[in-house]
Amino acid sequence: MNAFSLESEVRSYSRNWPVVFDRARGSRMTARDGRAYLDFFAGASALNYGHNHPVLKRALLDYLERDGVTHSLDMLTAAKEEFLVEFGARVLAPRRLDYKVQFPGPTGTNSVEAALKLARKVTGRQTVVAFTGGFHGMSLGSLAVTGNAAKRGGAGVPLGHTWRLPYDGFADGEVSGLRLLDAMLDDSSSGLDLPAAVIVETVQGEGGVKPAGHAWLADLAELCDRRGILLIVDDIQMGCGRTGPFFSFEAAGITPDIVCLSKSLSGYGLPMALTLFRAELDVWQPGEHNGTFRGNNPAFVTATAALREFWADSALEKQTEVRGALFEDQLGELADRYGARVSARRGRGLAWGLAFREAPLARRVADAAFARGLLVETSGSDDEVVKLLPPLTATDEELAEGLDILGESVAAGVAG
C-alpha cells in the first residue's frame, strides 16, 4: 500500500509537487530520487533563512545534546530567557517599541486569535474591521477576518463580528476604504458601531502579493489613533525581514498597537508565534489565554541564534532591499514582454508576484517551473498570481537561476 494513501484529501502542496522530498539545505530541496529543486517558496516564508542553516542547526543540536528542556508550557526556562533578552535588544529596543511579548501558541493563527481576543477585551467592543483579499489563518476567529470565500466556506458556521473594507488599490483604486470607514463612523445612522480593532497585512501574500502604499498605511494608522480603534498588523508572512526591515510596517513609519508574528520567527521552520502589544494593553489575567505548546524551547533556541546571526546589524535588510529592486526590474521586463497575458508584477523586498490575466495560466507557469526544477506557488482570489518567496539567504547566482527558470516557464506557459 502507498503510505500516502492514508493522508486526507485535504492535502494540497503535494498535489502540485508530486515527489517525495528527502533532504534540504540552503535554497534547495532534494527529492528521494536525487533531483534537486531550487526553492522559491521557502515554506510560505517560514524559511526566510533557508533550509537547515548551519548556525541555527548547530545551536539546536547543542541544545538537544545537553538535554535542554523541550516542552515547558509557559514555565520559565533558560531558552525562553535568552530569546527574550535577544529579541528585546535586537528588535524592540533599536525600534523604540514598548511591546509586551505573549506566546499564544505555536502558529500564526494562534497569534491572530490572541490579538483579536485581546482587542475585544481591552475595548469592550466586538466588531473588527478587515480588508478584501486578507488572509489571517484557518481557525474560526482568523477565518472571520479572512476574505477568501473558499477558505471561509470550510468553517461550517457563520463567521461574524467583522466589517469588510476595500484594501488599498481595490477596484483599480476607485473605492477608498479608509474614506468610507471615516464617513460611516461620522454618521450615527450608518449602522456601523465603533469597532474594537482593524487588522491588516502591509503586503497581502495569499491575497496575490499586493503591497499597500506607505501613505495608505499611515492614513490608516492615523484614522485608528484618532478614533480610538486598535491597529493590528498581521506580519506573519511578511515579517522577519521578508520585505527588508524586520517588521514590514517600518517603512511606513507606523507603530501598530498589536503585531502578530510567526512563520520565520524560529528561523528554522519550527513552530513559534508571538503576539506583541503596547504595555498598557496587557490586561490579561493569568492563564486567560493559553495553549499547551506555547513553550516550544527548541524554537526559542533557533530563534535566538537567528537574531544573533542576521539582526546584529542592517546587512540583511540592505541586501534584501537591493535584491528587491533587481526582482522589480526583471519581473517588470517579463510583464512588459508578455503584456497581453500578464496584468501586473507586484511586491516588496523578496516577496513578489506575477499576475496573469487568465487564472489557469498561473498554474501552468508554476507547473512548468516545477518541471524545470523550481518551486513556486500561486496565490490571489483565483490563484492567478505566481508567487515568489526565495530565501533571504539565497546567493546571487541562485536568484538569477530562479528568475531565468521563471522566464522559461512563462514562455512555456504562454505557448502551451
Side-chain angles (χ1 to χ4, degrees):
M1 183 184 73
N2 179 355
F4 296 112
S5 66
L6 291 173
E7 190 176 2
S8 165
E9 293 299 315
V10 77
R11 65 191 182 278
S12 60
Y13 293 117
S14 57
R15 298 179 186 278
N16 297 327
W17 301 324
V19 297
V20 179
F21 292 105
D22 184 48
R23 290 175 290 113
R25 185 178 177 88
S27 301
R28 297 186 192 271
M29 299 185 71
T30 303
R32 194 161 57 189
D33 64 7
R35 184 175 185 188
Y37 293 82
L38 185 59
D39 187 1
F40 271 30
F41 177 62
S45 200
L47 294 162
N48 284 1
Y49 315 121
H51 297 268
N52 285 303
H53 190 281
V55 173
L56 278 59
K57 180 167 66 174
R58 186 70 263 160
L60 177 60
L61 291 174
D62 288 347
Y63 184 77
L64 296 176
E65 286 169 353
R66 71 169 182 82
D67 292 330
V69 174
T70 297
H71 181 268
S72 61
L73 293 105
D74 70 352
M75 289 182 269
L76 305 180
T77 66
K80 181 195 283 189
E81 182 180 37
E82 286 192 36
F83 168 74
L84 287 170
V85 167
E86 293 295 333
F87 190 76
R90 299 184 189 275
V91 176
L92 299 183
R95 294 162 179 81
R96 296 184 175 87
L97 295 173
D98 181 26
Y99 285 150
K100 284 294 191 82
V101 177
Q102 179 180 356
F103 300 97
T107 72
T109 198
N110 293 131
S111 178
V112 171
E113 295 285 356
L116 298 176
K117 186 189 289 188
L118 180 63
R120 287 169 171 140
K121 180 177 174 63
V122 167
T123 64
R125 305 191 291 265
Q126 295 182 338
T127 304
V128 173
V129 172
F131 290 95
T132 55
F135 177 79
H136 301 285
M138 297 297 282
S139 52
L140 291 181
S142 302
L143 269 184
V145 291
T146 288
N148 185 279
K151 292 181 172 65
R152 289 168 59 82
V157 296
L159 299 171
H161 303 297
T162 303
W163 201 64
R164 197 82 48 189
L165 282 180
Y167 189 68
D168 190 23
F170 183 79
D172 295 324
E174 294 180 6
V175 181
S176 172
L178 303 190
R179 284 202 295 271
L180 175 62
L181 177 60
D182 223 11
M184 293 282 280
L185 291 174
D186 270 338
D187 189 339
S188 61
S189 295
S190 68
L192 175 66
D193 296 325
L194 186 68
V198 172
I199 186 167
V200 67
E201 301 159 277
T202 66
V203 180
Q204 291 184 337
E206 298 305 306
V209 195
K210 295 178 179 176
H214 296 327
W216 186 88
L217 290 167
D219 288 345
L220 173 61
E222 186 278 330
L223 187 157
C224 288
D225 182 62
R226 173 165 43 86
R227 296 283 186 178
I229 304 168
L230 296 179
L231 176 60
I232 304 169
V233 168
D234 179 341
D235 227 6
I236 290 165
Q237 188 167 103
M238 295 299 160
C240 301
R242 175 53 61 182
T243 67
F246 187 88
F247 295 109
S248 70
F249 56 79
E250 292 181 50
I254 65 174
T255 303
D257 299 293
I258 304 175
V259 181
C260 300
L261 284 178
S262 186
K263 293 220 183 257
S264 277
L265 185 60
S266 79
Y268 203 72
L270 299 177
M272 182 179 177
L274 299 181
T275 307
L276 310 174
F277 41 84
R278 290 190 291 107
E280 58 266 36
L281 303 181
D282 193 10
V283 297
W284 292 118
Q285 296 299 308
E288 190 174 7
H289 186 90
N290 56 28
T292 302
F293 294 100
R294 65 195 186 279
N296 187 356
N297 288 272
F300 296 158
V301 169
T302 55
T304 299
L307 291 171
R308 291 170 175 164
E309 179 72 12
F310 297 109
W311 298 100
D313 55 34
S314 61
L316 181 66
E317 175 181 345
K318 291 176 180 176
Q319 175 180 275
T320 299
E321 290 172 352
V322 169
R323 289 171 162 187
L326 169 70
F327 269 62
E328 183 173 19
D329 289 344
Q330 297 212 14
L331 293 177
E333 291 176 9
L334 268 181
D336 290 342
R337 189 183 315 156
Y338 298 100
R341 311 298 294 276
V342 176
S343 60
R345 61 99 167 84
R346 303 187 289 258
R348 185 171 293 149
L350 279 177
W352 287 88
L354 200 62
F356 291 88
R357 301 184 190 280
E358 302 151 18
L361 183 52
R363 184 72 262 159
R364 292 208 303 270
V365 170
D367 290 344
F370 175 68
R372 290 163 172 76
L374 176 69
L375 303 179
V376 293
E377 254 304 323
T378 59
S379 67
S381 298
D382 300 305
D383 280 326
E384 76 282 6
V385 178
V386 172
K387 183 165 70 170
L388 310 173
L389 297 170
L392 308 183
T393 53
T395 66
D396 291 339
E397 291 75 18
E398 287 169 337
L399 295 178
E401 177 188 349
L403 288 170
D404 286 344
I405 295 174
L406 179 67
E408 296 171 6
S409 303
V410 172
V414 167

